[in-house]
Amino acid sequence: MTKKWVYLFSEVNDTLKYVGDDWDALKGLLGGKGANLAEMWRIGVSVPHGFTVTTEACNSFLAAGGIFPENMWEQEQEALKKIEEVTGKKFGGPENPLLVSCRSGAKYSMPGMMDTVLNIGLNDDTARDMAALTGDERFVYDSYRRLIQMFGSVVMGVQDEVFEEVITKTRIKAGVKNDSELSAENWKAVTREFKSLFRRHTSRDFPTDPYEQLQLATEAVFKSWNGKRAIDYRNAAGISHNLGTAVSVVTMVFGNMGDDSATGVAMTRNGSTGKRQIEGDYLINAQGEDVVAGIRMTKDIAVLKEDMPAAYKELEDIAKRLEKHYREMQDMEFTIEKGKLWMLQTRDGKRTAQAAVRIAIEMSEEGLISREEAVMRVKPEQVDFFLHPQFDRQAIRVAKAAGHLLSTGLNVSPGAAVGVVALDADVAETWAKKDGKSVIMVRTETKPDDVHGMLASKGIVTSRGGRTSHAALVARQFGKPAVVGVSALDIDINKRLIRVKGITIKEGEVISIDGTTGEVFHGKLTTMVPDIRDPWLIKLLSWADEFKKLGVWANADYPVDAQRARDYGAEGIGLCRTEHMFFETNRLPFVQKMILTDLPIERQEALTALLPFQREDFIGLFRVMNGLPVIIRLLDPPLHEFLPNHIDLIRDVADLKIRLNHAPTMAAINELIDEIRKKERILRRSETLLESNPMLGRRGVRLSLYIPELTLMQVRAIFEAACIVAKEGIDVHPKIMIPLTSHPNELKIQKQVIEEKAKKVMNENGIEIDYKFGTMIELPRAALIADQLAQYVSFASFGTNDLTQTTYGISRDDAESGFLIEYMAKGILPENPFATIDKHGVGELMRIAVEKGKKIKEHLEFGICGEHGGDPQSIMICHELGLNYVSCSPFRVPIARLAAAHAALNDKMNDKMKK
């Protein structure tokens, strides 16, 4: 049986049967555009006749080195004949010519990243026939020149600027501002010039055979799947490279047939805010590419209600219908031909993170989707965009008062960005990736070929374009602050500068943009930590909390961090690193005295001096975390980290001795001698502490056993603080954690020491504190003997950073700036194991530890602390392993809450599928 490569829109029911009534599989076969055109046809929405060449054909074409699969072209020609029959038109024929568009469409939306050719079927003969048929030469030759221009740039690789330059000169000569004002004679002249340009740049004539045009256009769309911009976009969006694109061939309808024709793009809800209102742009007497390319200043879709009230009302009704049908916010393309509305595309709309949250909630409240679906609709990564910097309000006031506000445009993607101006995509990418600069890409309008520069930039500004322009869509997709349509900007690409309000800004100068307000400033504005108390996000996270099983705790060392963590929804402190407190300037001298002395009495004096500091630290934490657990890790790093660098000390001593030889006075000599003795003492002590591999040396529990007085001081500080706040009425729950354990005897000794000191302090204060004793699991051995460790602890926390280092046998600091980059680039490692837990190595050790530990103590608590605790993929692994909680940075807490809900809901969905 002949393989079917081509499906008419009207064959959608047969197509669905072919893929087993699986909508996702249908999109995979016909691409999102083809599947949605067929589906709109099925439900009775006005869609032009057409057909789709499958993604399977594309993949076969690419695999065969650019050869159509057997019978594909014949099937495409046969489908054209059927379109001719139902439309009464003839492809390439006289009197009533059929024109078609050839449009790309992958399974997942990639706006502008692949190619489209419009008006296929036009040549000198059909143009003459259409002009006679319509009585509108201007419309016909406007369409004809578009075909030559798009065919030249898309199929033959001619730079689009070559064609645009001709149009610009024609406008100037005719004395008009807009393309829509050019006459039929103007477009005839442009068409002739385009043919000459085509011949000059391609060494061949423009093809006059409509079938050759369609064949070459189909090939070009297939090839565009592997174009640089498409690959860059897929890499950034996490889309697989093996899906291929479909080709939809659609009967042309024309928005450039006069003032009763138009073309536009509209979203069923606001893509920036999520507000339930149609948002979009349109142009009268234009074709679709004019709108999305940003070449002409568009009209707001709301004005269509006045220009063409009947068409607007129909569009409004279709928008509601499509949103209800797909249960999702839609991004629609439409054309109005002589007052008749045609839908050319619908797809799930790109939106900002803020809009995604609001849309999910409101759709649930409207009954379109469930709460579970609402939570799953928002990606954990999108919550991160709420945490992006915002401009300080005072800084904005000062900048405006100083005249630094350059101009305003459309606020299409929120957030603040500061960077140097880059006037093209290549410069933006080079400066960002190679030079490490923060870049704002400024363009007249962005094109699909600019996507690599857009991805590398911190923000995007265009002088033209509307809310549905290419720049707006890509910026929203990737969370880039963007301001478009800043018409006051005069961008001189040749001189590499911008002029605005009499100010000249050279490429490389700093500007600041606010995608929330649409403002562009000269110079650098200060940013501030955002307030994420967005009511929509708060509601969504509260729903997420209903579904998640994992607790979400935070890593916090100071009260201010703990308060932020609690504000963001943390259910406890999963890691308080006491060493961070020791590095503060008012404490470091006592820490160094403790390290440098050989006398027990001096060491005790230093520890006694440190005790009040530690106690106050814990008091602050306990007060903030009233009613919630606080895990305090005893001192972990090796002692040499608290001393000056060994090499620096050697250099300092040598420098002081040179200065001693040239000291001008006895007083200076004595001062230098004292300094040398002091430095040499530190140097000698530093040398005794030097280890070949300090991260595997005397640190963690080993340090506590080496200096037991240090542990006693920290334990006293913890329990004195707990007793003090308990007397204030604070509900305190300290949990003491021992780092770098590798043997149960270490815990046995430490537990005894801690219990004795805790009991003594509580007796002194006449109060009983509910506390727990636990350990970190950071070494493979600890994971493998978790059953032995479980005898002494009530909880265990995986220190996945060190566990990854010791499992792989690599140093994180060296690897992440060295060979690990190469490993990921070559595909040796699929991802950075320090960013996402290595499921089959580190994850397997964690599974063994949980299994063994719970065999000894059924209710033994397990969690993780460190950066993995805020990574959505790692959170999924933690859920699968049955951990009790994850702990992460306060700023990652909202992300972790949503990721934990996703993990639980995915688990629930998988269970249903198994049944």
Side-chain angles (χ1 to χ4, degrees), residues 136-178:
D136 190 346
E137 280 193 320
R138 188 207 169 278
F139 146 67
V140 173
Y141 284 94
D142 178 26
S143 302
Y144 193 4
R145 68 87 188 174
R146 289 174 187 272
L147 170 61
I148 300 168
Q149 180 174 357
M150 296 183 80
F151 198 93
S153 59
V154 168
V155 179
M156 305 303 294
V158 182
Q159 290 295 315
D160 195 53
E161 286 78 8
V162 171
F163 298 106
E164 284 297 326
E165 188 177 339
V166 172
I167 297 174
T168 301
K169 287 180 180 178
T170 303
R171 279 201 308 266
I172 293 170
K173 186 177 179 180
V176 300
K177 290 184 177 180
N178 298 316

Side-chain angles (χ1 to χ4, degrees), residues 29 136 180 186 259 340 552 573 616 661 754-755 786 860:
L29 181 69
D136 190 346
S180 60
N186 292 143
D259 291 341
K340 166 66 177 173
V552 177
I573 299 298
E616 287 303 312
N661 292 332
I754 289 169
E755 284 181 343
L860 184 65

Side-chain angles (χ1 to χ4, degrees), residues 392-638:
D392 181 80
R393 291 185 180 87
Q394 179 61 23
I396 292 175
R397 285 193 289 269
V398 170
K400 287 181 177 178
H404 293 162
L405 175 61
L406 295 173
S407 190
T408 59
L410 297 175
N411 53 334
V412 295
S413 187
V418 179
V420 296
V421 171
L423 294 177
D424 66 57
D426 292 336
V427 169
E429 184 179 51
T430 299
W431 283 359
K433 290 188 175 179
K434 293 185 179 179
D435 302 336
K437 295 179 180 179
S438 293
V439 174
I440 306 293
M441 193 170 83
V442 182
R443 300 283 280 158
T444 303
E445 69 270 336
T446 64
K447 298 179 179 180
D449 287 335
D450 292 326
V451 71
H452 60 290
M454 299 173 77
L455 294 172
S457 300
K458 296 293 185 183
I460 300 155
V461 177
T462 66
S463 60
R464 296 202 294 234
R467 293 189 180 277
T468 54
S469 63
H470 174 262
L473 292 178
V474 174
R476 285 175 189 153
Q477 167 79 1
F478 295 105
K480 304 284 184 181
V483 182
V484 304
V486 189
S487 56
L489 297 183
D490 176 16
I491 301 169
D492 190 329
I493 195 68
N494 294 320
K495 293 183 178 179
R496 313 300 292 186
L497 55 81
I498 303 167
R499 299 183 189 92
V500 56
K501 289 186 177 178
I503 300 169
T504 298
I505 301 168
K506 295 178 181 178
E507 186 173 41
E509 286 189 39
V510 174
I511 63 171
S512 302
I513 69 168
D514 192 333
T516 306
T517 62
E519 295 172 319
V520 181
F521 296 90
H522 193 192
K524 180 179 180 179
L525 268 64
T526 56
T527 57
M528 61 181 225
V529 176
D531 179 358
I532 68 160
R533 281 173 278 192
D534 178 275
W536 301 106
L537 179 62
I538 289 171
K539 180 176 281 191
L540 185 84
L541 291 176
S542 71
W543 290 1
D545 290 340
E546 295 173 12
F547 305 122
K548 71 180 179 66
K549 294 180 180 178
L550 276 170
V552 177
W553 300 11
N555 305 332
D557 308 327
Y558 302 100
V560 64
D561 298 323
Q563 187 60 61
R564 179 175 288 117
R566 187 153 195 172
D567 291 343
Y568 288 179
E571 300 161 272
I573 299 298
L575 178 64
C576 168
R577 293 157 287 210
T578 54
E579 61 269 15
H580 286 184
M581 304 162 176
F582 281 15
F583 280 109
E584 292 187 18
T585 53
N586 60 344
R587 308 169 189 206
L588 193 55
F590 300 114
V591 177
Q592 291 177 343
K593 179 180 178 181
M594 174 194 72
I595 296 169
L596 294 171
T597 185
D598 291 320
L599 300 175
I601 191 169
E602 288 187 354
R603 176 174 292 163
Q604 190 56 54
E605 286 174 356
L607 290 168
T608 301
L610 285 169
L611 176 63
F613 291 119
Q614 281 270 272
R615 184 172 57 230
E616 287 303 312
D617 293 332
F618 300 137
I619 286 173
L621 281 174
F622 292 152
R623 283 174 176 158
V624 169
M625 300 306 293
N626 183 9
L628 297 177
V630 177
I631 296 179
I632 299 166
R633 182 180 72 186
L634 299 186
L635 196 66
D636 182 37

Side-chain angles (χ1 to χ4, degrees), residues 265-271 274-280 301 312 315-324 326-332 343 345-351 359 362-363 366 368 468:
V265 178
M267 298 188 190
T268 56
R269 303 193 187 214
N270 188 297
K275 187 175 180 181
R276 193 182 181 189
Q277 62 180 28
I278 293 182
E279 175 202 38
I301 196 70
Y312 181 84
L315 178 67
E316 197 173 41
D317 292 342
I318 288 173
K320 292 175 184 175
R321 186 177 173 189
L322 290 177
E323 194 171 84
K324 185 176 182 181
Y326 287 103
R327 301 168 61 251
E328 179 60 287
M329 170 244 207
Q330 293 296 292
D331 174 0
M332 309 170 295
M343 302 304 295
Q345 174 170 289
T346 192
R347 61 189 175 191
D348 293 348
K350 304 296 182 189
R351 67 208 74 178
I359 290 168
E362 290 196 329
M363 282 193 164
E366 291 161 17
L368 284 176
T468 54

